[in-house]
């Protein structure tokens, strides 16, 4: 890795936003391969994700890292010419959404972000998602894992209904359902019939790794 | 007040204050607090509970007589403000008929109501910013206030001629909406006050009077949105810290004024963004605790009792947040282990909580009874403990579980 490539990875990982943007711009301006720049961003995200898992980083760092990735991506992506290769192979598909009645999304967004930087193909279908919409998306997207998010206690019933509807549609076989957010614990998992619950985004990533690798 | 009711009121108040001041009460007190459980219990929709003051009274009266809590949170100011919001076209929430279903609780909308570039404007003149930028954004009915800019620049003859602004149709419209919303707020609050007096006559003290927020939550929830404030921690650290100090003064003044109007000295402070996973301990020490601690001291110095609901798991914060005068506040923990909190904070602060919401909702009365017994025996030892749900009574709690919780304080002793 060249010196400035190392510097870019380090600047992102160390939350030096301006420096990271300046470096990326300079590399792109002198004609570096935009795919290479994005690959360096991925490497930096990998470090950020690991630090988050080790509880050295928290939500401010995840959100800022996400912003840096987005801003560099916005400059780099238009410069990408048709090339072979393209996107790296994804580990597996995860469908995620906040169940009906609940409008909260920060937890869901963090889980989506963490799964994405860990190599999963994540489809986020938003908040207050009706049961029928989940069923339709499970059918269309065919995820290996479905993540149901909810902050309010009313979400317990919404999660239960969603799990039952996925089952009734004959779509439960061969896929796992995880729940998380707010008050969710083992008692709620049992109540909803989900396969597992997670207390944070790191737990969601390790559940998906465990299920999809198996 | 009848003699019996007066005695019950005094007995309950003493029990609560014994707990707060870290003495061993005759038994552990239990408080009734909910958002919408009363609605379900009384066969009302969430919408009814937000609009129909008389029905709220009727069901609350029944609940208090039936469950006999040691204090209760008056439901009207916490939930019955649908009609007020409607009249001002309030935009920071969705509520039944306005974005959520008939039977779904209101929910706050996590959005950016102040732009990142506006910190300096806020810092220079918080009131001006609030009046001409913030209010028009958070309520459709108040949009006309955006015409009222730079008021201190109007002086002498310019002040006299400046009166024309108050006849601007948009300003007049905003004042009309404010008046209508204000009249509804007065109706609701005088109703609530009458209900509180009646309950006092029946021997039930209120569990909280005023409400406040930590300056970090104030900015995160109401101004910058959660994403905005997270980025500000890196991009605008000094501005954020200065703005929180400034806002803290206004938050304190508001809470002191509200506290002086209530019979309850407890100031309810729900804490949203302090939990362990949100920011690091170092960030908590920098961004959250200093301005919040100043607020706590301000309330305590003025004879009020901060009732802080630490949402989520705040275990790592325990080593920091005990730094307040002993026996002057209540820390209510949602998911923090109370036994651990007791050993970290037992000498400083009364604890409250925390039967899990999942158990109240999906568990059995036997499980609730066992959980409460354990809390009473382990956390209640030596005093300084109030029993409650993790976030009060969840909206979907089974009535038999609620009954089991309130009965437990009469069955078990520390």
């Amino acid at each position: 890795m060249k010196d400035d490539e190392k510097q870019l990875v380090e600047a992102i990982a160390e939350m030096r936003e301006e420096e990271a943007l300046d470096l990326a711009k300079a590399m792109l301006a002198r004609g570096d391969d935009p795919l290479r720049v994005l690959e360096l961003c991925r490497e930096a995200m990998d470090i950020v994700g690991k630090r988050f898992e080790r509880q050295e980083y928290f939500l401010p760092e995840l959100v800022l890292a996400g912003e840096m990735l987005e801003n560099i991506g916005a400059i780099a992506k238009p410069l990408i010419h048709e090339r072979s290769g393209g996107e790296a192979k994804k580990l597996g598909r995860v469908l995620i959404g906040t169940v009906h009645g609940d409008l909260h999304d920060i937890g869901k967004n963090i889980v989506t972000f963490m799964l994405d930087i860990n190599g999963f193909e994540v489809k986020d279908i938003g908040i207050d998602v009706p049961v029928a919409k989940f069923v339709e998306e499970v059918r269309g997207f065919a995820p290996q894992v479905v993540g149901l998010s909810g902050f309010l206690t009313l979400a317990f019933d919404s999660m239960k209904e969603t799990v039952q509807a996925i089952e009734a549609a004959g779509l439960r076989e061969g896929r796992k359902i995880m729940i998380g957010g707010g008050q969710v614990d083992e008692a709620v998992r049992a109540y909803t019939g989900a396969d597992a619950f997670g207390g944070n985004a790191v737990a969601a990533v390790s559940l998906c790794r465990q299920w999809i690798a198996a | 007040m009848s003699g019996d009711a007066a005695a019950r009121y005094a007995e309950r108040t003493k029990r609560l204050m014994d707990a707060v001041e870290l003495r061993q009460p005759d038994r552990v007190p239990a408080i009734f607090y909910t958002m919408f459980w009363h609605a379900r219990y009384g066969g009302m929709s969430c919408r009814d509970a937000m609009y129909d003051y008389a029905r709220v009274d009727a069901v609350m009266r029944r609940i208090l007589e039936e469950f006999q809590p040691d204090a209760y949170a008056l439901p009207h100011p916490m939930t019955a403000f649908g009609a007020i919001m409607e009249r001002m076209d309030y935009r920071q929430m969705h509520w039944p008929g306005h974005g959520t279903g008939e039977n779904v609780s209101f929910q706050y909308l996590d959005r950016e109501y102040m732009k990142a570039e506006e910190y300096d404007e806020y810092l220079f003149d918080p009131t001006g910013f609030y009046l001409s930028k913030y209010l028009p954004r958070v309520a459709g009915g108040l949009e006309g206030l955006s015409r009222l800019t730079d008021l201190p620049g109007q002086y002498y003859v310019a002040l006299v001629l400046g009166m024309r602004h108050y006849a601007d149709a948009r300003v007049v419209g905003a004042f009309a909406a404010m008046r209508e919303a204000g009249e509804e707020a007065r109706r609701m609050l005088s109703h609530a006050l009458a209900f509180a007096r009646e309950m006092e006559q029946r021997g039930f003290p209120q569990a909280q009077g005023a409400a406040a927020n930590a300056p970090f939550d104030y900015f995160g929830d109401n101004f910058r949105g959660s994403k905005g404030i997270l980025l500000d921690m890196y991009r605008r650290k000094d501005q954020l810290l200065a703005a929180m100090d400034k806002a803290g003064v206004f938050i304190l003044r508001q809470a002191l004024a509200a506290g002086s109007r209530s019979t309850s000295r407890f100031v309810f402070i729900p804490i949203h963004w302090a939990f362990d996973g949100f920011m690091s301990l170092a960030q908590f020490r920098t961004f959250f605790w200093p301005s919040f601690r100043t607020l706590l001291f301000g309330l305590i110095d003025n004879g009020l009792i901060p009732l802080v609901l630490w949402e989520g798991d705040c275990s790592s914060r325990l080593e920091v947040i005990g730094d307040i005068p002993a026996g002057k506040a209540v820390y209510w923990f949602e998911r923090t282990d109370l036994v651990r909190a007791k050993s970290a904070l037992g000498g400083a602060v009364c604890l409250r909580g925390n039967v899990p919401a999942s158990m109240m909702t999906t568990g059995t009365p036997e499980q609730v009874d066992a959980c409460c017994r354990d809390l009473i025996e382990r956390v209640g030892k030596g005093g300084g403990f109030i029993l409650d749900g993790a976030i009060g009574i969840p909206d979907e709690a089974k009535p038999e579980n609620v009954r089991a919780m309130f009965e437990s304080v009469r069955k078990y002793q520390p």
Side-chain angles (χ1 to χ4, degrees):
Chain A
M1 202 187 285
K2 291 184 240 163
D3 275 357
D4 55 357
E5 291 186 343
K6 261 187 227 155
Q7 268 174 37
L8 175 61
V9 173
E10 194 193 290
I12 297 174
E14 296 295 329
M15 301 294 131
R16 299 196 300 263
E17 187 184 15
E18 271 179 47
E19 186 187 329
L21 268 175
D22 289 346
L23 279 165
K25 276 184 200 158
M27 289 163 78
L28 291 166
R30 74 169 182 226
D32 281 15
D33 183 352
L35 285 173
R36 173 68 184 150
V37 173
L38 291 179
E39 195 185 308
L40 295 168
C41 289
R42 286 273 152 198
E43 258 173 60
M45 287 301 145
D46 211 40
I47 299 172
V48 172
K50 291 209 169 68
R51 289 183 185 173
F52 183 74
E53 288 179 30
R54 288 199 299 263
Q55 298 184 21
E56 293 161 18
Y57 276 175
F58 292 83
L59 300 197
E61 290 76 23
L62 281 196
V63 172
L64 185 62
E67 286 279 298
M68 288 190 268
L69 186 64
E70 205 177 307
N71 291 336
I72 295 173
I75 312 168
K77 279 180 187 156
L79 303 173
I80 299 173
H81 304 294
E82 287 301 317
R83 281 167 202 262
S84 58
E87 286 268 312
K89 198 177 170 302
K90 295 286 185 179
L91 295 176
R93 287 180 303 281
V94 183
L95 179 74
I96 191 168
T98 303
V99 292
H100 70 88
D102 202 319
L103 309 178
H104 291 84
D105 66 356
I106 182 165
K108 169 184 67 61
N109 294 348
I110 296 294
V111 171
T112 302
F113 181 78
M114 281 298 287
L115 286 171
D116 181 57
I117 66 173
N118 278 284
F120 293 92
E121 184 182 353
V122 194
K123 185 167 186 188
D124 178 349
I125 54 174
I127 56 171
D128 194 11
V129 178
V131 170
K133 171 90 173 155
F134 261 111
V135 172
E136 181 195 321
E137 292 283 350
V138 170
R139 191 170 281 130
F141 184 58
Q144 285 99 327
V145 179
V146 179
L148 306 180
S149 171
F151 179 76
L152 303 171
T153 48
L154 66 82
F156 302 171
D157 282 321
S158 304
M159 287 172 173
K160 187 176 186 171
E161 288 162 23
T162 309
V163 172
Q164 282 171 348
I166 291 172
E167 215 162 282
L171 296 167
R172 180 75 186 264
E173 197 68 25
R175 60 176 50 92
K176 299 286 191 180
I177 301 178
M178 61 181 185
I179 60 173
Q183 308 289 317
V184 168
D185 58 14
E186 174 53 28
V188 179
R189 188 214 56 80
Y191 178 74
T192 58
D195 294 296
F197 79 96
N200 54 50
V202 175
V205 172
S206 58
L207 282 171
C208 289
R209 274 197 195 127
Q210 180 191 319
W211 285 336
I212 291 177
Chain B
M1 205 183 300
S2 77
D4 280 359
R8 275 200 303 276
Y9 189 91
E11 183 188 305
R12 285 172 173 146
T13 304
K14 178 174 185 326
R15 187 174 294 134
L16 268 180
M17 288 314 297
D18 280 348
V20 172
E21 289 167 1
L22 308 173
R23 293 183 297 268
Q24 181 85 60
D26 60 337
R27 64 165 173 78
V28 165
I31 288 179
F32 182 85
Y33 173 101
T34 192
M35 294 307 283
F36 283 103
W37 183 79
H38 61 295
R40 278 161 215 253
Y41 190 64
M44 276 189 281
S45 64
C46 287
R47 186 178 195 285
D48 293 337
M50 291 189 70
Y51 283 83
D52 192 335
Y53 311 146
R55 284 186 75 188
V56 171
D57 291 356
V59 68
M60 269 308 286
R61 200 178 280 123
R62 202 177 110 205
I63 287 169
L64 296 183
E65 292 295 355
E66 189 178 336
F67 294 93
Q68 294 285 322
D70 292 298
Y72 73 103
L74 191 59
H76 313 71
M78 291 201 318
T79 45
F81 40 67
I84 309 170
M85 292 199 291
E86 218 163 70
R87 281 164 182 64
M88 62 194 286
D89 186 14
Y90 190 60
R91 289 171 174 168
Q92 286 182 300
M93 259 188 224
H94 276 178
W95 72 95
H98 296 262
T100 71
E102 191 76 358
N103 231 345
V104 176
S105 77
F106 62 79
Q107 289 172 60
Y108 129 86
L109 300 174
D110 183 9
R111 291 179 186 161
E112 192 179 72
Y113 301 97
M114 174 181 123
K115 299 185 194 100
E117 319 71 87
E118 288 175 330
Y119 268 106
D120 283 338
E121 199 178 333
Y122 177 91
L123 284 168
F124 176 70
D125 175 14
T127 305
F129 177 81
Y130 185 85
L131 182 70
S132 65
K133 294 266 174 75
Y134 184 75
L135 290 180
R137 285 175 194 165
V138 302
L142 309 189
E143 273 173 5
L145 297 180
S146 63
R147 311 293 297 167
L148 299 179
T149 53
D150 300 317
L151 294 183
Q154 292 163 27
Y155 59 97
Y156 202 47
V157 175
L159 186 162
V160 175
L161 300 181
M163 289 298 112
R164 73 187 182 281
H165 296 300
Y166 302 96
D168 180 312
R170 287 159 290 194
V171 176
V172 171
F175 283 158
M178 290 166 94
R179 179 175 176 172
E180 258 192 65
E183 281 169 353
E184 189 58 41
R186 281 177 170 266
R187 247 194 305 283
M188 186 273 269
L189 290 167
S190 67
H191 194 96
L193 184 64
F195 179 79
R197 285 205 181 113
E198 184 201 326
M199 291 306 108
E200 209 175 300
Q201 298 294 319
R202 291 172 183 245
F204 295 105
Q206 281 187 70
Q208 57 199 53
N213 284 102
F216 187 91
D217 289 339
Y218 171 93
F219 267 98
D221 289 347
N222 305 298
F223 286 75
R224 297 285 296 124
S226 56
K227 185 180 173 189
I229 201 163
L230 286 165
L231 291 171
D232 295 342
M233 289 167 70
Y234 273 97
R235 291 176 175 166
R236 296 174 185 275
K237 178 182 174 185
D238 295 338
Q239 285 172 309
L240 172 60
L241 291 172
M244 289 195 295
D245 285 343
K246 205 141 196 170
V249 177
F250 293 107
I251 298 170
L252 177 62
R253 284 185 197 164
Q254 189 281 135
L256 294 180
S260 72
R261 289 191 297 266
S262 175
T263 54
S264 174
R265 287 160 58 208
F266 291 91
V267 180
F268 179 53
I269 311 175
I271 297 291
H272 298 146
W273 299 121
F275 59 90
D276 288 351
F278 189 76
M279 58 173 92
S280 70
L281 186 59
Q283 287 164 337
F284 178 79
R285 286 180 195 275
T286 305
F287 289 98
F288 204 101
W289 182 241
S291 57
F292 184 46
R293 183 174 176 274
T294 303
L295 176 67
L296 293 177
F297 272 72
L299 295 170
I300 291 169
D301 289 346
N302 283 280
L304 295 175
I305 305 167
L307 161 56
V308 185
L309 169 55
W310 295 93
E311 293 184 8
D313 185 346
C314 295
S315 300
S316 77
R317 316 311 193 205
L318 294 174
E319 62 178 271
V320 178
I321 62 180
D323 177 25
I324 56 168
K328 299 286 185 191
V330 179
Y331 280 178
W332 178 2
F333 287 108
E334 183 193 350
R335 294 188 83 149
T336 309
D337 177 47
L338 283 186
V339 174
R340 186 171 167 189
K342 179 96 176 177
S343 78
L345 302 168
V349 62
C350 171
L351 303 177
R352 174 167 160 183
N354 63 5
V355 185
S358 61
M359 185 185 287
M360 293 296 285
T361 307
T362 69
T364 63
E366 292 72 30
Q367 288 172 320
V368 172
D369 181 81
C371 173
C372 292
R373 180 179 185 170
D374 185 59
L375 287 169
I376 290 167
E377 290 176 352
R378 295 166 76 194
V379 188
K381 198 182 280 291
F385 174 57
I386 298 167
L387 181 71
D388 199 345
I391 43 161
I393 307 298
D395 301 348
E396 298 79 9
K398 294 178 190 162
E400 59 269 31
N401 289 348
V402 178
R403 200 162 291 121
M405 189 186 101
F406 284 103
E407 279 170 4
S408 71
V409 289
R410 295 175 174 85
K411 281 163 73 175
Y412 305 114
Q413 277 292 343

